[in-house]
Every structure is written in structure tokens, then in C-alpha cells.
């Protein structure tokens, strides 16, 4: 057990976080998407502690966070296509999967044995400052028990990982609220491996084509592809126009009359607000003790693709071999 500290977003807090990471410890850091559980991506022991703290399956790869594009070029096989995408969208909520370079120096636990690696340059100023002070790549999946709701506030991390990690760097609420979009550039054609905080339409406009979906028989090739993931404690029913008896309603747009205890992702139907509030609402439903949750339809366009992806995984059966552990 650790005495998990909440570190302030000042020089003392950032230097303290960097020192913990250099010593092989774990620090939850803010990004513009969600809080990430950071550890030295070059250290087998430090990365193994991420899996231990989260209860994460070892075959599920991690995203490596970097301070700049120049660092990314040294870790992977880089080409003109990667350069163009990185210049357009980094720093920001986009992860690129690229072929791992020889002698990249990353722990093999990061890639789960794959010959590719997921890289991101975050836009959050605290994350970027921490990366520079630490002076190396940080492996950082979401800072929550595996399969559970991702954290968008420091309190979410403290509620689920207190005693399992050394510190949380307090950057306040996350602006985007859903994880990064993952784009695979390790094949002949770009593939959208996970919808996220950067809409697929923005990628399509830049690439000149809509990225293909993941290959059906490829298995898990990137983070966030587990069948059951991002789940609250209560069971989730999707595409619900109104709650049934015993259900708590999570709406999109105005709430239906008589939906007691209901909340909405966005009363005005704004997709950006809905994405930013998604995990916050799921955490609130956990706190309220909701055992059955009915979720309103969300348009499957723009950020709605990422919202619906997370909701489908939250509603997936939890007793299959592909499911992750739900023990806190």
C-alpha cells in the first residue's frame, strides 16, 4: 500500500511527480482527454506496476506519451504519412500506431509483444511540462481499474487507485473527456483502431479518405479494444428513449418528463459537451448506486462515434473470456 499524494500543479508538484517517475513510481497525470497512469516506458518494473495497479490484462498494449514529434521519430519507423498527420494533429487527442524501431528502448510490456507501438503527444500543458521534466517516454493508460470508467478529475483517480500509486498531479477536470482517437499507420492503408477525441471526419479530410475499420481477425492491436471496457458498476441498456421501472436515465438532449434522478450528457444536444461529460456522468451514477442504467440514443457522427464506442463497451457482457476484471 502507498500513501497516495495529491500534488499541486506548481513547480514543486511537477518536480515531485518527475522524481517519483524517475524512481520507478506511478503518477496519475492530467491530459486533455482523461487522466493517465504514467510510468517510465523504458522500465520493465515500472510498466509492470501499471498492470498491477490497474488489474490490466498483460496482452493489452499501452500508449506511450511523448513531449514532441522529434522523440516519436526515434522510436518508430517514420514516413511522410506519419509526418503529415503528426504535423496536423499533434499535440492533441490523437494516438498513432506505427512499426516499432529496432533498439527503441521501450519495455516489451508496453507493446504486449506486438511489432508496433502506440504514440501520442498530449496537448495538456501539465502533461507536456511533466514529460519535459522527466526527460523520457511515459507509458500512460487511463488511471482507473481496468475495464472501469475512465477518470476525468483528480477525485476519480483518488476514489479508485488510492493506496495503489504514489501520486496524482492535480490538473483539474479534463477538457475533452474521452480517450484519444487511435489511427493505425502500420499497414498499407490508415485504419481507425479506436474512435476518440479527434473526430474521424477530421482525419478523413486531412488524409483524403476515411480510415478503414480494424481488421476483423487481427485481435487486439491497440489500447481500448477490449470487448467490455469503460463500464460503471450498474448494468447498461442502450438506445433507450425512456427509462423502465428501476432504471436511472442518462439522456442526450432534454430529459423526458417524469425521469426521476435522471441526468443528461448535454441538455442542448451539444456533442462536445456530451463527450466531456460522459465519464463524469458514469462516475456520478456509480456514486448514486444506480444498478440499472438506461442511456438515450446518441447520433453516431463526429464525437458521437467515440461516445457510442465507449457506451457499447460499457454495456457489453462482463462474464466473457474477453472481459476485463471488475474488481477494484
Amino acid at each position: 500500500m502507498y500513501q497516495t499524494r495529491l500534488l499541486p500543479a506548481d513547480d514543486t508538484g511537477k518536480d515531485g511527480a518527475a522524481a517519483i517517475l524517475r524512481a520507478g513510481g506511478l503518477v496519475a497525470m492530467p491530459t486533455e482527454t482523461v487522466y493517465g497512469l504514467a510510468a517510465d516506458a523504458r522500465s520493465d518494473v515500472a510498466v509492470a506496476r501499471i498492470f498491477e495497479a490497474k488489474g490490466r490484462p498483460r496482452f493489452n498494449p499501452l500508449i506511450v506519451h511523448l513531449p514532441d514529434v522529434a522523440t516519436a521519430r526515434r522510436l518508430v519507423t517514420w514516413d511522410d504519412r506519419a509526418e503529415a498527420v503528426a504535423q496536423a494533429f499533434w499535440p492533441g487527442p490523437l494516438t498513432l500506431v506505427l512499426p516499432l524501431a529496432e533498439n527503441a528502448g521501450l519495455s516489451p510490456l508496453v507493446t504486449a509483444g506486438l511489432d508496433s507501438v502506440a504514440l501520442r503527444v498530449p496537448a495538456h500543458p501539465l502533461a507536456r511540462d511533466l514529460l519535459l521534466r522527466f526527460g523520457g517516454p511515459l507509458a500512460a493508460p487511463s488511471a482507473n481499474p481496468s475495464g472501469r470508467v475512465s477518470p476525468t478529475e483528480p477525485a476519480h483517480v483518488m476514489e479508485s487507485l488510492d493506496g495503489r500509486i504514489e501520486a496524482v498531479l492535480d490538473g483539474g477536470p479534463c477538457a475533452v473527456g474521452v480517450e484519444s482517437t487511435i489511427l493505425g499507420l502500420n499497414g498499407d492503408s490508415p485504419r481507425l483502431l479506436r474512435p476518440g477525441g479527434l473526430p474521424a471526419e477530421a482525419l478523413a479530410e486531412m488524409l483524403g479518405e476515411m480510415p478503414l475499420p480494424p481488421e476483423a481477425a487481427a485481435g487486439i492491436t491497440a489500447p481500448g479494444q477490449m470487448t467490455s471496457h469503460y463500464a460503471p458498476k450498474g448494468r447498461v441498456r442502450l438506445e433507450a428513449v425512456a427509462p423502465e421501472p428501476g432504471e436511472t436515465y442518462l439522456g442526450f438532449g432534454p430529459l423526458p418528463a417524469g425521469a426521476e434522478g435522471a441526468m443528461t450528457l448535454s441538455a442542448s444536444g451539444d456533442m462536445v459537451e456530451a463527450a466531456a461529460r460522459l465519464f463524469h456522468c458514469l462516475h456520478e451514477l456509480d456514486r448514486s448506486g444506480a444498478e440499472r442504467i438506461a442511456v438515450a440514443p446518441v447520433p453516431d457522427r463526429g464525437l458521437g462515434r467515440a461516445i457510442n464506442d465507449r457506451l457499447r463497451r460499457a454495456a457489453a457482457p462482463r462474464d466473457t473470456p474477453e472481459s476485463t476484471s471488475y474488481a477494484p
Side-chain angles (χ1 to χ4, degrees), residues 209-255:
E209 59 179 331
M210 182 63 79
L212 298 174
E215 295 183 81
I220 293 176
T221 58
Q225 293 183 324
M226 300 292 289
T227 301
S228 179
H229 209 22
Y230 314 112
K233 295 174 184 175
R235 296 291 173 174
V236 177
R237 180 172 68 91
L238 303 180
E239 302 293 326
V241 295
E244 295 177 352
E247 290 182 329
T248 302
Y249 195 61
L250 178 58
F252 178 76
L255 292 171

Side-chain angles (χ1 to χ4, degrees), residues 23-24 44 47 50 81 91 97 104 113 119 138 144 168 173 183 209 226 229 240 246 259 265 268 272-273 275-276 311:
D44 290 339
V47 176
I50 291 177
R81 185 174 58 180
V97 174
L119 304 178
L138 292 174
N144 58 295
V168 179
L183 181 69
E209 59 179 331
M226 300 292 289
H229 209 22
L265 294 170
S268 63
V272 174
E273 180 185 19
L311 289 171

Side-chain angles (χ1 to χ4, degrees), residues 147-149 226-240 247 250 278-279 282 291-296 307-320 323 326:
R148 297 298 303 276
V149 182
M226 300 292 289
T227 301
S228 179
H229 209 22
Y230 314 112
K233 295 174 184 175
R235 296 291 173 174
V236 177
R237 180 172 68 91
L238 303 180
E239 302 293 326
E247 290 182 329
L250 178 58
L278 173 61
F279 291 138
L282 293 179
E291 296 181 356
R292 296 169 56 203
I293 302 164
V295 183
I307 295 169
N308 284 322
D309 172 78
R310 305 310 189 271
L311 289 171
R312 282 191 292 271
R313 295 178 194 276
R318 306 179 191 183
D319 54 356
T320 67
S323 296
Y326 286 80

Side-chain angles (χ1 to χ4, degrees), residues 14 20 30 39 44 49 60 68 88 134 140 175 177 184 227 239 246 272 306 311 314:
K14 289 181 282 190
I20 291 169
D44 290 339
R49 283 200 55 210
N60 200 359
D68 49 43
F134 172 65
T227 301
E239 302 293 326
V272 174
L311 289 171

Side-chain angles (χ1 to χ4, degrees), residues 36-130:
L37 184 55
D40 187 345
R42 302 162 298 192
S43 167
D44 290 339
V45 174
V47 176
R49 283 200 55 210
I50 291 177
F51 288 93
E52 179 185 35
K54 285 177 60 69
R56 184 183 178 96
R58 295 290 176 93
F59 55 79
N60 200 359
L62 307 177
I63 294 175
V64 176
H65 291 66
L66 307 169
D68 49 43
V69 176
T71 307
R73 295 190 192 107
R74 296 195 291 268
L75 299 178
V76 295
T77 300
W78 196 259
D79 58 19
D80 291 342
R81 185 174 58 180
E83 182 71 22
V85 174
Q87 292 298 332
F89 299 114
W90 278 358
L94 175 67
T95 293
L96 298 181
V97 174
L98 292 155
L100 184 66
E102 290 188 21
N103 303 315
L106 300 177
S107 168
L109 292 173
V110 167
T111 62
L114 300 173
D115 59 4
S116 59
V117 65
L119 304 178
R120 182 160 97 88
V121 177
H124 197 292
L126 264 183
R128 293 173 62 78
D129 199 352
L130 179 59

